[in-house]
Amino acid sequence: MRKRLIAGNWKMNMLRGEAAELARGVVESTRRLAGKVDIILAPPFTALDAVGKELQGTGIMLGAQNVFWEERGAFTGEISPGMLADSGCSWVIVGHSERRRILGETDEMVRMKLAASLKAGLKVIVCVGETLEERDRGHTVKVVEGQVVKALTGTGISDPGGLVIAYEPVWAIGTGRHATPAEAEFVQSAIREIAGNILGDSAARIRIVYGGSVNEENIRDLLAEPDIDGALVGGASLRAESMASIVETAGEQ
Ligand code: PGA
């Protein structure tokens, strides 16, 4: 049985004071569930420290939204896996579609980020997903397969518990339009099979989560699907009550 995982991706929101307050709210409202569900909060870099302090001793884990693949050196503006670990992070998100689309991140960069993060002992949520145009052309599985294969090949995953694949259809992110549970399950079971071709039996232990307009209303039906092990939550993670309600549902089933 794979432990459910709910990660809040705060994106470029929250000043330090606001972030600490939100983290405190999540801690208080999920206290009962912290051992039952893996909960991750991923604030912007500038608030890692403030949020980390609130999470100490709570069982809720700290994550970053991005990382660079080198450990140190002349890479102005970048942050290394070791720096994230040093800032209290145990998780990092790589390959989010906003980074692929707006910042020009390629599959090769995603692979290097994943490999460097795992090497540094971080756990990783790697995001994949198709655009609306790719979906309309019927290319969803092909696109996602390419992203998964390029990200995972040769990265040497020793602990399947430390790798999460987030299926996030680009057309569902921040749009209020989510994939139906059956649509998400179709793609996520394909992802498990693709991961199995690369990683063998350990793919059965990797968690595959859904992301894209997840909220307290749609989470229950999504989690009812066998290959949906949790959620990467954007907008709804910015309010303690909705985050808590999503975690609560994940803890029930
Ligand atoms: P959303 O974002 O929940 O606001 O759609 C999800 C994500 O981008 O991870």
Side-chain angles (χ1 to χ4, degrees):
M1 177 75 183
R2 297 178 294 264
K3 191 173 182 185
R4 293 239 164 94
L5 178 141
I6 303 292
N9 172 13
W10 293 1
K11 307 194 179 182
M12 200 176 72
N13 295 293
M14 301 286 154
L15 300 178
R16 290 161 50 83
E18 297 167 321
E21 197 182 316
L22 176 57
R24 225 173 293 135
V26 174
V27 167
E28 276 160 23
S29 50
T30 60
R31 206 178 291 281
R32 225 168 38 80
L33 293 150
K36 258 179 115 183
V37 180
D38 276 348
I39 309 170
I40 301 165
L41 299 184
F45 289 133
T46 47
L48 283 175
D49 198 45
V51 171
K53 285 198 179 93
E54 300 297 333
L55 301 187
Q56 251 167 40
T58 65
I60 300 183
M61 297 172 280
L62 187 66
Q65 300 171 18
N66 183 33
V67 67
F68 194 61
W69 54 82
E70 296 287 350
E71 198 40 56
R72 65 182 60 75
F75 304 103
T76 302
E78 295 298 333
I79 309 267
S80 73
M83 289 169 180
L84 293 182
D86 185 51
S87 302
C89 291
S90 46
W91 286 87
V92 61
I93 300 169
V94 305
H96 192 280
S97 67
E98 284 151 14
R99 298 206 55 84
R100 293 180 190 258
R101 194 166 42 85
I102 307 169
L103 282 308
E105 242 175 53
T106 63
D107 286 324
E108 176 59 6
M109 292 178 187
V110 173
R111 190 189 64 75
M112 291 192 287
K113 289 179 179 205
L114 173 62
S117 299
L118 291 173
K119 192 167 159 227
L122 292 172
K123 297 177 172 156
V124 182
I125 300 176
V126 56
C127 304
V128 298
E130 83 288 3
T131 64
L132 188 56
E133 199 198 339
E134 289 161 342
R135 171 185 147 97
D136 288 345
R137 287 198 189 152
H139 291 171
T140 298
V141 172
K142 198 176 92 191
V143 167
V144 167
E145 175 170 23
Q147 292 170 335
V148 171
V149 169
K150 285 178 197 141
L152 298 194
T153 302
T155 43
I157 288 136
S158 53
D159 168 24
L163 176 70
V164 170
I165 300 175
Y167 169 55
E168 298 207 303
V170 177
W171 49 270
I173 295 177
T175 57
R177 183 179 161 204
H178 66 93
T180 65
E183 284 170 332
E185 172 60 23
F186 177 75
V187 182
Q188 298 196 192
S189 62
I191 290 175
R192 197 172 300 284
E193 208 178 302
I194 295 157
N197 294 336
I198 305 166
L199 307 172
D201 292 348
S202 59
R205 286 165 35 225
I206 283 175
R207 286 170 292 183
I208 305 178
V209 303
Y210 170 79
S213 297
V214 170
N215 58 35
E216 54 271 63
E217 268 99 56
N218 57 33
I219 185 69
R220 186 178 302 277
D221 290 344
L222 286 162
L223 288 176
E225 299 292 340
D227 285 294
I228 303 184
D229 302 317
L232 180 54
V233 186
S237 73
L238 295 175
R239 286 187 305 115
E241 313 80 72
S242 40
M243 181 70 178
S245 156
I246 291 167
V247 170
E248 184 99 27
T249 304
E252 267 171 24
Q253 296 172 337

